[in-house]
């Protein structure tokens, strides 16, 4: 991809992997989680703009 309108600055290609899962605990309640940027790859969506590394989220979901 490119960083400017003139297509003069090329950004390096990258691939990210995410992992998501959910486990039912009882009817209407489940435990869910996700890992973003599983392999902690450095990437740039804009020139010299930092990116977030690996992130882990866990939660409980209730449905009525």
């Amino acid at each position: 991809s490119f960083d400017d309108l003139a297509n003069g600055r090329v950004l390096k290609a990258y691939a990210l992997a995410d992992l998501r899962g959910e486990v039912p605990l009882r009817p209407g309640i489940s435990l869910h989680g996700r890992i973003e940027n599983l392999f902690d790859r450095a990437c740039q969506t804009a020139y010299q703009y930092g990116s977030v590394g690996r992130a882990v989220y866990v939660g409980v979901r209730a449905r009525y």
Side-chain angles (χ1 to χ4, degrees):
S1 64
F2 298 95
D3 185 54
D4 56 0
L5 292 174
N7 292 339
R9 181 176 292 135
V10 179
L11 297 175
K12 289 183 180 179
Y14 63 89
L16 299 178
D18 296 340
L19 185 64
R20 297 170 185 260
E22 185 170 356
V23 177
L25 299 176
R26 54 180 29 187
I29 299 177
S30 63
L31 178 67
H32 65 94
R34 73 178 189 260
I35 302 173
E36 296 178 350
N37 196 358
L38 182 63
F39 301 112
D40 201 19
R41 300 281 183 177
C43 61
Q44 288 186 345
T45 55
Y47 183 67
Q48 293 187 341
Y49 188 79
S51 63
V52 178
R54 181 181 305 123
V56 178
Y57 302 93
V58 177
V60 176
R61 181 173 293 144
R63 297 181 181 163
Y64 299 98

